[in-house]
Amino acid sequence: GGVVTVTATGHRKITNITIKPEAVDPDDVDMLQDLVLTAVNDALTKAEQLAERDMGRFTAGMKIPGLF
């Protein structure tokens, strides 16, 4: 929903987490935890897709055991 943003590198390292004030509800900590978890998983998925896409340019479709 955009209230929690996570930035990750292609090496799957989290570099930043931003939480908008409207996401912070002391009476609903579970929702904030779910939002952070979803944002982290989304960032890591996008980082992995980016790494695979970039690696694909170098391997030109070769299947290298152990890489993917």
Side-chain angles (χ1 to χ4, degrees):
V3 293
V4 177
T5 305
V6 176
T7 305
T9 69
H11 296 285
R12 297 183 204 124
K13 301 285 184 199
I14 303 299
T15 58
N16 188 46
I17 296 177
T18 303
I19 301 172
K20 292 185 179 179
E22 60 265 25
V24 181
D25 179 356
D27 296 325
D28 196 0
V29 174
D30 289 336
M31 182 187 70
L32 180 57
Q33 291 171 335
D34 289 343
L35 289 170
V36 171
L37 182 62
T38 299
V40 168
N41 285 328
D42 185 50
L44 293 177
T45 297
K46 288 178 181 177
E48 185 174 345
Q49 291 170 346
L50 177 63
E52 287 176 4
R53 187 191 75 209
D54 287 347
M55 184 59 105
R57 284 190 276 170
F58 299 111
T59 62
M62 293 185 301
K63 298 289 183 187
I64 301 173
L67 283 184
F68 301 110

